[in-house]
Amino acid sequence: MSEYVYTLQQLLGAPYNKLFIVILFLGGCLTSIIIAQDSQPAIVLFENVRVFDGKSAQLSGPTNVLVRGNKIEKISTTPIPLERSGNTHIINGGGRTLMPGLIDMHWHTMLVRPTHAEIIVWDMGYSNLVAGAEATDTLMRGFTTVRDLGGPSFGLKRAIDEGVVAGPRIYPSGAVITITSGHGDFRQPFEVPRIIGGPLTRMEQTGGSMVADSPDEVRIRVREQLMLGATQIKLTAGGGVASPHSPLDATTFTAPELRAAVEAAENWGTYVTVHAYTPASIQRAINAGVKCIEHGQLMDEPTARLIAERDIWLSIQPFPEEAAAAFPPGSEERAKAMEVIRGTERSYPLAKKYKIKTAFGTDILFSQKQAQRQGELLARLVRWYSPAETLAMATSTNAQLLALSGKRNPYPGKLGVVEEGALADLLLVDGNPLENIQLIADPARNFVVIMKDGKVYKDLTVEAVKAAR
Ligand SMILES: [Zn+2]
């Protein structure tokens, strides 16, 4: 421990949980603040773990991994010498698997728990608190990073980064940008016609989605999201399942509108990703400079080839059959959901055949119950991939797509890998997930330690020691 004298400004900018503050009042006024600060960052040593590094098809032999501050400092098969101090935490791995935290590339932080109807009517303060509770659950499922593809998640992201609430790292897109009647336009028929320049709808006021019907309008909406802190921009280039007025086969934005979005995002050093199922919507988006396709379940062979040739990312998910059951029997939405679910059977083999850069994200909406199955949805990929390929996709591969946000990346540093110098987002798994992928479907039981940014959020090894006493 060493002593420093800090100015008030420095103090206010400092993480107060690490500081022991002594305030001296002299002559009735605040003249100086003396702080005794622990000059050493926290150290966590994982002893006797087998490492899945996010890439390899095999676990390492018995290994020790040292985390200092928010980074992995040393990985060694021999004991790591350590000066043990008050802020050193040693975790006896007991031969369990240490792996990178999971990444969900298609998440809607604000839209998991409310129903469709509730999003519009909920008070925003309440929405944020509910989303905060879900963010904590997300982290406790082992998802240490999410890419948010629509919804007003900027405030929650800030609260998580500041340590106000526990949750994953968030790469926010802000509002989904759509066209009149496109996917994400949840207005009712009585709200039509829209007056250009008129008052915003409730959906737009909350920052959930924004309607734009010309290149100029698109440019404004994109730039607004970038101003608010978007790390990438999300447009809906084709029809969607859950939107009441959006046929699945529709292609929405025109090429000049898409190009306006791409130009604005690229001027800001980042990229546009689009919601698109059909060949026409995917192809138009790629030709306009879009770098990532969300979903793609209805793509055909020439479209898959185009995605591969242009080196475009495909961010896709195996929608479960039950997702269709969320819509009333006989409804148009249910029919659309079934069409997309059937498309999944074709799209993964096409992605593999053409070696498309493929990312994983769940896209769970409007269901806390579904969200509890986040890991299970990932485990479903073993239908097409080996467990090692599945876990590599949800860690190191997903992290490559996160890095496409360039200088807008809010968490510079390596994610999705267990490597010296990488950010310390780590899971200690009770068993070998490369042999039994189902371990990730039950995180409460099998994720013994959850660490994000070097901070331990869960440690069942400590609980076990306490229980034994
Ligand atoms: Zn989505």
Side-chain angles (χ1 to χ4, degrees), residues 1-2 4 15 18 37-45 66-71 73 82-89 453-455:
M1 301 280 264
S2 54
Y4 299 97
K18 291 186 186 156
Q37 186 193 26
D38 212 320
S39 55
Q40 299 295 321
I43 293 170
V44 179
L45 176 62
L66 178 71
V67 173
R68 189 189 299 268
N70 71 341
K71 290 205 172 120
E73 184 174 276
L82 200 61
E83 262 183 50
R84 289 172 193 204
S85 68
N87 59 359
T88 305
H89 179 33
D453 210 35
K455 196 173 159 198

Side-chain angles (χ1 to χ4, degrees), residues 45-51 60-66 72 74-80 91 98 420:
L45 176 62
F46 292 91
E47 286 184 328
N48 185 23
V49 293
R50 302 187 65 199
V51 173
S60 72
T63 302
N64 306 302
V65 176
L66 178 71
I72 298 167
K74 195 164 176 54
I75 301 174
S76 174
T77 52
T78 55
I80 298 174
I91 294 172
L98 190 72
E420 289 181 358

